[in-house]
Amino acid sequence: NAGVMQNPRHLVRRRGQEARLRCSPMKGHSHVYWYRQLPEEGLKFMVYLQKENIIDESGMPKERFSAEFPKEGPSILRIQQVVRGDSAAYFCASSPLGPDEKLFFGSGTQLSVL
Amino acid sequence: GDSVTQMEGPVTLSEEAFLTINCTYTATGYPSLFWYVQYPGEGLQLLLKATKADDKGSNKGFEATYRKETTSFHLEKGSVQVSDSAVYFCALRETNAGKSTFGDGTTLTVKP
């Protein structure tokens, strides 16, 4: 059973470009969470999704950021018009049943904005 | 809102030394508490958890006890190994809440 798969591992973008980060949860998991880890900081919650629904997006910046988890395919975190401050490691996690279960994390996508 | 405060690092120990990483939390309800470990270049892995007051979570020689009266969940290990070198995150999750709240992480380096 493959773990949580994130790609790409490293993504380089110039200011103003779009970044698309992908996350395939573990098989059988229908709950996906996105976290951002800035240099020398902890993990900050961004968004919690179930299939086709956004459950909690209280940690998402109001502009330029969006997330989806379609019925088929991976979850996508999309950042439009990236700025240098978006440079960070973005981690995806999934869980099997719901909020009371432990999280299984992917290896992350390191986004670098030039 | 919820918050988790961890002992600042980095922490450097010699092999076989005793480890304590402090963690305190603020929560509105009765959260579950977790310790996750992150090895270089990898995602976080659950190390141990406790779901109610006075529960003790344990795994791989690590222990932590859920102390409601002091709102703490300190991580301990009696004898660390070089392979324990990693970043350790304390986290909480409120009952029926989606998100987990993480501390800033504590980097542990164990020297032979």
Side-chain angles (χ1 to χ4, degrees):
Chain A
N1 186 9
V4 177
M5 304 300 293
Q6 288 189 249
N7 66 82
R9 283 299 302 271
H10 302 276
L11 181 61
V12 179
R13 286 288 178 266
R14 296 190 180 280
R15 282 180 296 170
Q17 291 184 319
E18 178 180 286
R20 292 171 69 88
L21 288 64
R22 295 175 180 76
C23 169
S24 296
M26 287 183 70
K27 186 177 180 181
H29 290 193
S30 58
H31 301 258
V32 167
Y33 310 79
W34 285 94
Y35 286 82
R36 177 165 63 176
Q37 185 176 31
L38 292 165
E40 307 302 323
E41 293 187 20
L43 286 166
K44 304 301 181 187
F45 169 79
M46 300 183 74
V47 63
Y48 163 36
L49 310 104
Q50 294 180 24
K51 283 286 188 181
E52 300 185 275
N53 289 304
I54 296 175
I55 306 303
D56 181 353
E57 56 181 347
S58 58
M60 286 277 274
K62 298 298 182 199
E63 298 178 348
R64 302 189 297 108
F65 285 72
S66 62
E68 63 176 6
F69 188 18
K71 186 177 181 180
E72 301 291 337
S75 175
I76 305 288
L77 179 66
R78 182 182 179 204
I79 311 172
Q80 296 178 290
Q81 300 174 332
V82 296
V83 300
R84 289 216 173 108
D86 297 332
S87 296
Y90 292 83
F91 287 95
C92 170
S94 70
S95 68
L97 294 175
D100 294 333
E101 297 291 326
K102 73 177 185 182
L103 300 178
F104 293 80
F105 280 84
S107 297
T109 293
Q110 180 65 50
L111 172 65
S112 298
V113 179
L114 304 179
Chain B
D2 297 344
S3 67
V4 176
T5 302
Q6 280 183 241
M7 181 173 88
E8 286 191 23
V11 174
T12 302
L13 295 173
S14 297
E15 208 165 20
E16 300 184 1
F18 183 85
L19 168 71
T20 300
I21 300 178
N22 290 339
C23 171
T24 57
Y25 67 90
T26 302
T28 53
Y30 301 96
S32 295
L33 302 175
F34 304 81
W35 277 100
Y36 286 84
V37 59
Q38 183 181 30
Y39 298 103
E42 299 183 13
L44 279 70
Q45 306 171 26
L46 179 70
L47 180 60
L48 53 85
K49 73 175 185 179
T51 58
K52 62 182 187 297
D54 299 325
D55 271 1
K56 177 186 283 188
S58 61
N59 185 27
K60 301 180 181 178
F62 291 90
E63 294 183 339
T65 301
Y66 190 142
R67 301 287 187 200
K68 186 179 176 185
E69 63 275 14
T70 54
T71 60
S72 65
F73 193 54
H74 305 321
L75 182 67
E76 296 181 337
K77 186 174 184 180
S79 176
V80 294
Q81 305 299 313
V82 173
S83 57
D84 293 328
S85 299
V87 182
Y88 292 82
F89 291 91
C90 185
L92 70 82
R93 176 184 266 174
E94 293 271 19
T95 304
N96 297 321
K99 65 182 181 181
S100 293
T101 301
F102 287 81
D104 287 345
T106 301
T107 300
L108 170 66
T109 301
V110 180
K111 295 186 181 298

